[in-house]
């Protein structure tokens, strides 16, 4: 068995809990919005699902909403990776899609344009770097990522060799878990958008 064949870790994706802006549908990229009380409750509901699994590496976005979700869910040994930041929405930061549509009725984050922000391909390049880090043979185990809705959708798309815009097909609610894994040598999505459950 080759080293590549032996090293097939699962990559678990945890979207942060609710914030005021995620609740209201506002694009939240660079802005550091805290969790709501509901978001903190959601994070606590992740604990039993994660507690029984050993992770070789746990990474979080630098944004407090992701790092706080990790802490409340019981993950203490967590490293910050800037590549896990949410899509940079540029001048559309803090605006809802409905508001943007008053100026550009055909706009979508997946098709752009992205004035002052990141293109889908730029976000895809970050996702590829994260995936490469998760597949580092030196890790010898599964990886858990705490990050954001649009970015994690791009990670899911890139994991199965879709272009970054393929993330448009993967809905992702707050405080959900997804698992990227394998079918033999093929990268597959094992679980997607699994909701938090009250304990």
């Amino acid at each position: 068995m080759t080293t590549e064949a032996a090293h097939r870790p699962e990559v678990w994706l945890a979207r942060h809990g609710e914030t005021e802006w995620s609740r209201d549908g506002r694009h939240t990229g660079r802005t550091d919005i805290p969790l709501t009380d509901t978001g903190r409750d959601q994070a606590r509901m992740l604990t039993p699902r994660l507690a029984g699994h050993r992770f070789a590496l746990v990474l979080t976005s630098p944004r407090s909403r992701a790092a706080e979700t990790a802490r409340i869910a019981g993950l203490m040994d967590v490293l910050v990776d800037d590549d896990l930041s949410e899509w940079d929405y540029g001048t559309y930061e803090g605006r809802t899609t409905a508001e943007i549509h008053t100026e550009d009725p055909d706009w979508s984050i997946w098709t752009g344009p992205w004035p002052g922000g990141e293109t889908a391909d730029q976000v895809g390049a970050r996702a590829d770097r994260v995936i490469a880090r998760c597949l580092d043979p030196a890790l010898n185990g599964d990886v858990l990522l705490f990050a954001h809705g649009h970015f994690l959708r791009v990670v899911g798309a890139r994991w199965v060799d879709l272009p970054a815009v393929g993330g448009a097909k993967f809905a992702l609610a707050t405080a959900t878990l997804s698992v990227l894994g394998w079918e033999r040598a093929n990268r597959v999505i094992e679980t997607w958008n699994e909701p938090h459950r009250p304990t």
Side-chain angles (χ1 to χ4, degrees):
M1 181 179 293
T2 66
T3 302
E4 181 181 357
H7 181 67
R8 290 183 184 148
E10 291 181 340
V11 180
W12 290 43
L13 313 179
R15 186 182 173 194
H16 63 76
E18 180 195 82
T19 69
E20 183 180 342
W21 280 17
S22 69
R23 181 195 64 207
D24 297 343
R26 298 190 175 278
H27 290 85
T28 319
R30 301 179 309 274
T31 308
D32 212 359
I33 302 293
L35 298 177
T36 61
D37 289 342
T38 296
R40 286 186 282 276
D41 288 342
Q42 290 174 342
R44 278 187 280 274
M45 292 177 198
L46 294 174
T47 304
R49 181 74 170 89
L50 297 173
H53 199 92
R54 179 191 171 276
F55 295 100
L57 179 66
V58 182
L59 300 174
T60 183
S61 157
R63 304 293 175 252
S64 63
R65 56 192 180 274
E68 186 180 7
T69 298
R71 180 185 60 76
I72 293 172
L75 283 298
M76 298 303 168
D77 189 13
V78 181
L79 300 177
V80 173
D81 188 333
D82 287 343
D83 278 335
L84 286 170
S85 298
E86 179 60 297
W87 200 313
D88 184 342
Y89 301 117
T91 60
Y92 290 154
E93 180 80 4
R95 302 180 68 187
T96 66
T97 298
E99 290 170 347
I100 298 167
H101 280 173
T102 64
E103 301 170 10
D104 184 351
D106 296 324
W107 182 84
S108 162
I109 189 59
W110 304 104
T111 58
W114 307 273
E118 288 180 291
T119 68
D121 286 344
Q122 287 172 325
V123 179
R126 289 199 284 114
D128 288 346
R129 290 195 297 269
V130 169
I131 290 170
R133 185 173 184 183
C134 295
L135 295 178
D136 182 350
L139 286 179
N140 192 31
D142 297 339
V143 180
L144 172 59
L145 309 177
F146 285 88
H148 312 271
H150 280 137
F151 181 74
L152 290 177
R153 292 166 70 175
V154 173
V155 171
R158 296 300 300 137
W159 180 262
V160 293
D161 296 321
L162 294 175
V165 295
K169 304 297 186 182
F170 299 99
L172 196 63
T174 52
T176 52
L177 290 175
S178 302
V179 180
L180 309 179
W182 304 83
E183 184 180 59
R184 300 183 179 85
N186 298 313
R187 296 196 317 212
V188 300
I189 294 175
E190 293 184 2
T191 303
W192 190 261
N193 201 32
E194 180 181 87
H196 52 272
R197 295 185 175 90
T199 55

